[in-house]
Each structure stands twice: as structure tokens, then as C-alpha cells.
Amino acid sequence: TQYVFDFASGDATQTDLLGGKGANLAEMTRLGLPVPPGFTITTDACRHYLAEGAVPGALADQVRDHTAALEKAMGRRFGDTADPLLVSVRSGAKVSMPGMMDTVLNVGLNDETVRGFAAVYGDESFAADTYRRLLAMFGQTVLGVDGSLFSRALDEAKKKQGVTADSELTAAVLSELVETYKDIILEETGSPFPQDPHEQLRQATEAVFRSWNGERARVYRKRENIPDDLGTAVNIVAMVFGNRSADSGTGVAFTRDPSTGEQGVWGDYLADAQGEDVVAGIRNTEPLAALEGHDAESYRELLSYMELLEKHYRDVCDIEFTIEEGKLWMLQTRIGKRTPAAAFRVACDLVDEGLITIDEALGRVSGEQLTQLMFPAFDRSNAPAPLAKGVAAAPGAAVGKAVFDPHRAAELAESGEKVVLVRDETNPDDLPGMIAAEGVLTARGGKTSHAAVVARGLGKTCVCGADSLEIGPDSARAADGTVVNEGDVVSLDGGTGEIWTGSIPVTDSPVAQYFEGKLGASSDPLVTAVDRLVRHADESARMEVWANADTGSDARRARRFGARGIGLCRTEHMFLGDRREMVERLILAEPSDREPILDELGRLQESDFAEIFEAMDGLPVVVRLLDPPLHEFLPSLVDVSVKEAVSPSAENADLLRAVRRLHEHNPMLGLRGVRLGIILEGLYSMQVRSIARAAEALRAKGLDPKPEIMVPLVSEASELDVARRAAEKVLEGFDVDVPIGTMVETPRAALTAGRVARFADFFSFGTNDLTQMTWGFSRDDAEGSFFGDYLDLGIFEYSPFAVLDEAGVGALVETAVKTGREANPDLHLGICGEHGGDPQSIAFFDKAGLDYVSCSPYRVPVARLARGQSAV
Ligand code: ADP
Ligand code: MG
Ligand code: MG
């Protein structure tokens, strides 16, 4: 097997084998950019090393051959005491994991070669500086020596000489430092620093392989959902020296602003420094534009490469470069990471510049990004530096008093305080506190931790895994020593993971305001880009997007956001509040006494329906007849028992008897949905009558109401048959055309969909109940209890309530679509569970052939985007 490839022989497509860094170094070499010569050791070799504990037998010879070729290209030999070749040994996985793995610079220096090196460059202090950098990096990353030992020695040397900058150290002091570093290595490891350059190369390579399984890298992969079995490649690159002189330096560049997407020159430059110094933040960098003042020629050359790379990759690139005595070298490029705002803006700009098509632009943004843009955001113009940064686990901008105990959080929220729950990590006992809080902050766990999963389910802002915070039972301590106590205000940005002490002002999202109709499409470049891509998604799409809305105001918002119908109008809230008492009377009344109560409820519902139909004038509104268990409308058994015991009366005794009779141990699997509609005579007929009356009244006003009636929780075709005939009988008295269909939400309904469809004009998949019943776990309890563990163990990749379980629930949906349509070719099909707003699930529903997805009003724009993406 070939384990080693020269930069001149690969290209950008080979990221699996060469890693991202290696493949892109090869691509830049191919494009004729000034990349220092070098070669890549493949991820194959890494996987072999990690599995067997040793590199493949063939590797040593291949590395020696490529090293020889590199020597020839450079006109320098490795280990030559007169004019030595130095190399860097750099990690680089398929997926970029910035700063998570190791790199060693200046490999090839030893006590002999350092003298030749100094002579060639005519600079003793430069040579000694380069050697001490190798010793520190090699000592730390390859030999595992505590890095602070080196930095402490460096600080002492600077103090002794009375200077503050590394670059001011004299050759004598640096040479002394070299000796000190070697002593540290000998003392800490028991062996001297390896003098043989080939041995250095070998050890550094294996150390890079091992860094794939280092703690940092493992944690990062888990957070970012990167597979553990990819391994890293190793890039051996001839060294160029940004620390050579004042007209040398190193920097990073972005072809566009990674936070807004704006065009221009973005990046940082540090004169007289090696690459690692930029990251380490030892000295303050200058903005990239300052390079023009230092070295106008290199600056212009760099800009021309930036343009070339952007055209070539047809996307934003980020770049690492180094200048050695006025000569520019390109050391890395990759497709640049960007914020959600930049993603939309860049995608549209690239279309205008003719680099990509509008279909491609649609593929460059995600529903997840649009979701983030819909939330209010912090106004950072005067924000201090954040206290810490964790994993951005659930979007939003939360400000509140820090509280460290879930029950205390619930208490304070009850009394009207805004609180943020701060925990080392959360478990099911934290649920009440999470519900009460504006946001949740934890020190441990990633995007799939309990805190993250539950917060997303609750729609709460969440930052988790902020591991620089030490979170105790009643306070938190930051790395800089700041202590946060209960009651101190903190601000969390769930979109970036930043945490501040104090209250950061919150601004409305311009994107949300645009969808609300409060801002024009041309109000700012971001809004223009969102508008353009969402419209393009609309034009490309096959499926429609409807919304779930129970009130007139929700319906109006849904319509503004672009919903083409209401896929689920729940009627249970029409039975709560003041009306609850009426329902209680209805349930307890003798059948012969029900009529007047039903009439009264019916009149109230009529006006509820009219408001919604009017808001959706001309568009369909699917009204679901009453669904929840009867049980939920009854007073609690305990309350009634106590009442009867305290003040016994005939009335109270009747009530207690009735409550006992109707009490259920498992109401969600009890008398609810169509079962209730059939048993509690008159109830569904009353609802159907109210719907028809409301529609007729609006028609008289010249409007075009389009109600549809949905029967919930049908498991057996004849249940729907009975309910349908009763509804049709009521509708006979009205001059309205109302389709009647059912929610498919029990596995049995899905499996017998061919029979159910004979009585249905439409199906709407109720994927929340369908998921709960297919898996046999309760959605009210399971997410907060064992889901966190299941996600950690990898039993779940996602919560099946958040992303549709295609293999199980999805198979039921597919069966029902197929057999339902066979039985009734006109059957109209939709989905109204939470999954209707999830981009990944939407792609599945599109493939399954549904006519629409229905989701909460705020998710409508995201769903519009997602179903357009799945269509192009
Ligand atoms: P990371 O993936 O953490 O960015 P890199 O392998 O890119 O690590 O290297 C770390 C730093 O060292 C970067 O700033 C890079 O530009 C610099 N560097 C790497 N190889 C060389 C080289 N051959 N000559 C000069 N600088 C280098
Ligand atoms: Mg890098
Ligand atoms: Mg249901």
C-alpha cells in the first residue's frame, strides 16, 4: 500500500485519504501557488497505527524516499550539519478540527545542525530561537512534558534580560534557554531530547497519530458528531520562517468576513513570528490590511491568491500564510467556517458574482441556520469580553439571575424573576428548573447531553459544556477567577455558546421582523439574502408548508410567515379556562340534560372558528375534533375525595362517584380521541355544527372559508366510519363542503390505512403520538429521563421526537401512504407532528410523497427553506 503522497501528486478531492489540510495543500500546489514542498502520510497509516499500536511496516521506507525527494527539491539535507533541512509535522483530519490535534514545527534541529543553521542565515539568535521552539513543542506534544515548565523558563529569561518581547532576547540568553529546555526534557522524561532528525520525525509523526485519540480531540468529535474512526493524516512540510526578521511574519486571512459575509480584507497579521504565536496570543496581532504598510508586494500577491482560491473553490476560503524575508508562502487553506448570517449573505453574493447557481446557493444554507437567525440576538456593540464559551446547544438570547438549584429556580420564576439555571450537568430532577428558566448553562456535556436535548425540546436557550467554568452547588468560578453567585445576572447566547456576567441588551431579529411584515425585504443585506433564498425554495418545492395554529392570532402569524393552510387546529383550549366548568357539567350530566350545555359551548366555539377561518380566508383549515382524555377535564380524584370528606353532601357524593367512575390509570391510552367522540354522544356533532355555522356565516359576508374536519386517534376503519356518518348527518343541514379525514397516529391505523382510507378524504400523520406508540415510551416523560443516557451511549443519534425515526415510524408512514393512496387515489396527505418543522424529517416526508408538512408558525420559514432544498 502507498502510505505517502507528495503534495505535487494529490488534489482537493482526496480528503478521505490525505485529510483536509493535505488535500488542499496538494490542490494549491497543483494551482501553482507558492506552497513549501512536502508530503502527506495517509489516514490509512494512522488507522493502522491506532488499531495495531505500530505504524505499517512499509511506512519507514516510504517516508525515507519522500524525505530524500524533499531534500532534493530544497537543495538541503535533513541532518546536514552545514545547511540542514527543517520540516513541520502537522496533523490534518478529513474534517477540520481546529486546534484539537498536534503539530510540531522546526523538526530537524539538534546541537550540531543548529550551528550550520545559524551560519547559513548569519543569525545566531534566530537559530537559537528556532531550536528552543522545537524543544518546547516536541517536549510538550511528543514527550508529554508539562508546557508551563517551558513558558516559565522563558518568562524568567525575559525578566533576567529585562525585556518583554520574545523577539528581543539575545543569542546568548536564547542559547542558555536551549540548555534549560533540554534539562527540563531530561529531568521530566528520563531521556535526553532525541538528536537524530529522522528519529524526531518518526516520533513526531506517531505523536500526531496519537493526538487523534487525545482528550481534546475526542470531546470535540463528540460535540460535532464527527465519526471516531476517520483518523488523521500527517503533513511533512519544509519550514519557512516568519520569525526570521522584521520583514518576515505570519498571518491568517478570510476571503470574506466570516461573521457577516461582507466582502473585504479580513484577517490578522503578526510580524516577526511563527504561526503558533498568532494562536497563542502572546503579542497583539494587527489587522491584515496593515500588511500593506509592511510589505505591499506580498500583500498584493496574497490578495490575488485569495481571489484565485475563492474562484477556484467557489466559496469563502480561510488561509494561513507566512512571509520569510519578503517572500510569501501559502501554508493552508480550507472552506471557511461562517456564522448563519454570513452563510446566507455569501451564498447570494456568490450567485451575483456568477460563481454558483441559485440552486447551489440554496444548498449552502441550512434550516438550522435560518432557525438561529429567527431568534432575538444580543447587541454586542458595547458587550464586554465573554466570561466563558461553551457549546451552542439551543439558540436564543437568555438573560436572568443565575440560580444553581432547580427548585430554587422554579420558586424564583414563580415570583416573577427571570432566571438562568446553572448546573455542572443536568439530570431529570432538573426539569422543573429548566421549565422555569430563561436558559440553561452547564459545564459538562455536548450537543446531545441531557441539558441540550431537554432545552431544545422546551424551546429554552442552552449553552452546555462550558468546561472553563467550575460550577458548584451554589456558585460558579471562571478561569479568570470571577465568581458568579446566586442572583448575579448572566447572559447566554445559545447560538454562539458565549456567556457573560451582567445583562447584555437584546435586539429583535431582523429576519423574524421581516417575516412578520415589519421590515421590507430590502431593509438590509441579510434580510435580502434570506428573502431571496426562501423564495427560491418556494419556487422549487413540490410540497406545501402549512402551520399548526389554534387561535386567530397564531393563524395570522402563520399566514404572514408563508403558511398555505392550517394543518392542525386543536380545539381543546376552547374547553379550558372559564369553559372548563361547563365541560365538567357536561360530563357529569345525565344524557338527557346535555343538550343546553352543548348548545352553549357550541356558540362559543363558533366564534373561535370564525376568527381562524377569517384569518385563513381562501386557505384550508383542518380542525381536529376534541382529542384529550376526558380525565383531563375532571377535577382531581384527591380534591373531590377531600371535599366530600370535609363537607359531605349528596352533590359531593355524586361528584365523587362520577370522578371515580371516569378515573383512568393511563389516560393517554384511554377514553380519548374518536373513542370519546363516539361514547360522549353529541360532543362531536356540536363541534361539527359550530364549524359549519362559522363557515356559513363567513360565506354570507362574501369570504371563502375552507374548513376540514379531522377525527383524532382512529385505530380501526369502522371508528372513522361511525364518526364520519354522524358528521355528515350534521352537515346535511348546511350548504358547505367540508372534507373529513383522520389523523394517523396509532400504529394500527398506519398498518390498516388501506381500509381507513375508504372513509377518509385526507390523512394527517400525527407523528408525536405515532412515535410514542410505536416505541412504547411517553413523550412527556422519556425525554427528560433516559434520553440523555441513550444519546450518550449512541443508542439514539437524535431524539426520535425531534428527528423522525425513519426506520420505524417512517416505515409506518410509507406503508400508510402507499396503501392509503391505493384505496383512495384522491387521498390528500400531510403531517402535523413536531417533525413537520425539522429539516431532516422534512426531506423524508418529501421523499415519502406527502402533499404538505404542517409545523408551528415560527418554524414555517425554516420548513419552506427545507422542503425547497429537498426538491432541488
Ligand atoms: P492547526 O491545524 O492547529 O492550525 P497547523 O498544522 O496548521 O496546525 O500548524 C500550526 C501553525 O504552524 C500554523 O500557524 C501554521 O501556519 C504554522 N506552520 C505549519 N507548518 C509550517 C511550516 N512548514 N513553515 C512555517 N510555519 C508552519
Ligand atoms: Mg492551521
Ligand atoms: Mg395525537
mmCIF file of all heavy atoms in Angstrom, residues 21 90 320 332 334, ligand 2:
data_model
loop_
_atom_site.group_PDB
_atom_site.id
_atom_site.type_symbol
_atom_site.label_atom_id
_atom_site.label_comp_id
_atom_site.label_asym_id
_atom_site.label_seq_id
_atom_site.Cartn_x
_atom_site.Cartn_y
_atom_site.Cartn_z
ATOM 1 N N LYS A 21 -6.299 19.198 5.267
ATOM 2 C CA LYS A 21 -5.124 20.046 5.107
ATOM 3 C C LYS A 21 -4.242 19.534 3.983
ATOM 4 O O LYS A 21 -3.807 20.298 3.110
ATOM 5 C CB LYS A 21 -4.351 20.072 6.433
ATOM 6 C CG LYS A 21 -3.365 21.215 6.552
ATOM 7 C CD LYS A 21 -2.640 21.154 7.894
ATOM 8 C CE LYS A 21 -3.529 21.587 9.042
ATOM 9 N NZ LYS A 21 -2.928 21.325 10.366
ATOM 10 N N ARG A 90 2.582 18.073 10.749
ATOM 11 C CA ARG A 90 1.278 18.692 11.026
ATOM 12 C C ARG A 90 0.127 17.699 10.948
ATOM 13 O O ARG A 90 0.024 16.938 9.990
ATOM 14 C CB ARG A 90 0.995 19.814 10.014
ATOM 15 C CG ARG A 90 2.137 20.747 9.810
ATOM 16 C CD ARG A 90 1.885 21.682 8.635
ATOM 17 N NE ARG A 90 0.792 22.615 8.859
ATOM 18 C CZ ARG A 90 0.346 23.442 7.920
ATOM 19 N NH1 ARG A 90 0.872 23.414 6.693
ATOM 20 N NH2 ARG A 90 -0.636 24.272 8.189
ATOM 21 N N GLU A 320 -3.861 30.246 5.870
ATOM 22 C CA GLU A 320 -2.708 30.539 6.726
ATOM 23 C C GLU A 320 -1.528 30.825 5.817
ATOM 24 O O GLU A 320 -1.304 30.089 4.855
ATOM 25 C CB GLU A 320 -2.368 29.346 7.622
ATOM 26 C CG GLU A 320 -3.373 29.097 8.727
ATOM 27 C CD GLU A 320 -3.038 27.855 9.566
ATOM 28 O OE1 GLU A 320 -1.984 27.230 9.336
ATOM 29 O OE2 GLU A 320 -3.865 27.522 10.421
ATOM 30 N N GLN A 332 -1.823 26.884 4.259
ATOM 31 C CA GLN A 332 -3.066 26.137 4.483
ATOM 32 C C GLN A 332 -4.229 26.896 3.856
ATOM 33 O O GLN A 332 -4.220 28.124 3.834
ATOM 34 C CB GLN A 332 -3.337 26.001 5.986
ATOM 35 C CG GLN A 332 -4.529 25.131 6.334
ATOM 36 C CD GLN A 332 -4.669 24.945 7.840
ATOM 37 O OE1 GLN A 332 -3.674 24.871 8.570
ATOM 38 N NE2 GLN A 332 -5.890 24.881 8.313
ATOM 39 N N ARG A 334 -8.748 26.293 3.453
ATOM 40 C CA ARG A 334 -9.926 25.420 3.554
ATOM 41 C C ARG A 334 -11.169 26.287 3.379
ATOM 42 O O ARG A 334 -11.107 27.520 3.487
ATOM 43 C CB ARG A 334 -9.952 24.700 4.904
ATOM 44 C CG ARG A 334 -10.149 25.640 6.032
ATOM 45 C CD ARG A 334 -10.106 24.969 7.383
ATOM 46 N NE ARG A 334 -9.941 26.027 8.369
ATOM 47 C CZ ARG A 334 -9.255 25.931 9.485
ATOM 48 N NH1 ARG A 334 -8.662 24.812 9.813
ATOM 49 N NH2 ARG A 334 -9.159 26.947 10.301
HETATM 50 MG MG MG B 2 -3.655 25.503 10.637
#
